[in-house]
Amino acid sequence: MSRTARVERVTKETEVLVEVDLDGTGRAEISTGVGFYDHMLHQIARHGGFDVTVRTVGDLEIDAHHTMEDTALALGAAFDQALGDKAGIRRYGSATIPMDEVLVRAAVDLSGRPYVVHDEPVLAPYIGPVYATSMTRHIFESFGQAARMTLHVDVLRAARPGGHPDAHHVVEAQFKAVARALREATAVDPRAAGAIPSTKGAL
């Protein structure tokens, strides 16, 4: 059974097209106009093993907020659509990812109940010219809401000896951890025999 989805989201602020194949090879074609965000969405595809296409045109003349938010909402909706009734999946996934001095843990429950917990240290306000580090939390909140998942992301270690956290490493490790947790949670469980992974019979 194909686990793919195509989502188009059009508002007065953005036009977003997202395509997802949960059983892909990590191929990604990403274009949002926000370079660092593109780099992070490539992490989701590559480390999750998903094929992902994202094409976003947003009001970057104002700032990058709407572009990143609406892209995250469309990506979450695509994951939700591609998962269908979630029969036969593992449902839960977690990953702990090191990136040099940074250590991040992410945990996912494809529960149908959107809830996001996000904890990171205070970072430099920007990575590159337009990616506001305050948006990382909002991206995961938007993605988790639209995907109808419970998502916890915790930065366990970040500080360099005698220095401040490297914002690039902290944020990138979070995206990689979420990707790996999603890879596990969305995987087909050979022991599930196609059953819904819930005593309720629905997710």
Side-chain angles (χ1 to χ4, degrees):
M1 183 176 65
S2 174
R3 299 197 300 164
T4 62
R6 176 186 173 96
V7 170
E8 295 184 67
R9 178 184 172 88
V10 179
T11 72
K12 293 181 179 179
E13 298 164 340
T14 62
E15 295 182 9
V16 185
L17 167 67
V18 171
E19 296 176 339
V20 168
D21 182 349
L22 299 182
D23 300 307
T25 60
R27 178 191 59 80
E29 297 178 16
I30 312 291
S31 177
T32 68
V34 182
F36 184 75
Y37 191 38
D38 289 358
H39 182 45
M40 294 302 98
L41 296 180
H42 271 91
Q43 307 308 317
I44 295 291
R46 174 64 64 185
H47 295 285
F50 312 119
D51 289 348
V52 178
T53 298
V54 174
R55 298 190 186 97
T56 302
V57 177
D59 54 357
L60 295 177
E61 71 280 3
I62 296 176
D63 73 4
H65 185 111
H66 300 142
T67 294
M68 291 192 283
E69 176 184 53
D70 288 359
T71 299
L73 288 168
L75 184 62
F79 267 78
D80 186 49
Q81 185 182 123
L83 284 164
D85 64 3
K86 303 174 185 174
I89 65 167
R90 294 187 183 275
R91 174 179 169 177
Y92 295 99
S94 63
T96 302
I97 296 295
M99 188 169 181
D100 296 350
E101 77 284 4
V102 176
L103 187 66
V104 173
R105 177 180 60 215
V108 168
D109 176 11
L110 299 174
S111 60
R113 299 185 304 277
Y115 197 95
V116 175
V117 177
H118 179 262
D119 182 40
E120 71 176 5
V122 176
L123 302 175
Y126 283 91
I127 302 172
V130 295
Y131 184 94
T133 54
S134 61
M135 281 298 296
T136 304
R137 179 190 189 99
H138 189 48
I139 288 165
F140 288 136
E141 287 174 338
S142 299
F143 175 72
Q145 174 188 345
R148 299 190 306 122
M149 69 173 62
T150 297
L151 173 63
H152 288 243
V153 184
D154 296 289
V155 178
L156 305 178
R157 186 174 301 116
R160 293 173 293 178
H164 298 290
D166 183 314
H168 188 130
H169 285 178
V170 171
V171 175
E172 184 167 338
Q174 290 178 61
F175 276 86
K176 287 178 175 178
V178 170
R180 281 289 172 172
L182 282 169
R183 184 180 188 133
E184 182 179 348
T186 60
V188 175
D189 185 351
R191 298 176 62 188
I196 301 291
S198 172
T199 55
K200 299 176 182 178
L203 289 172

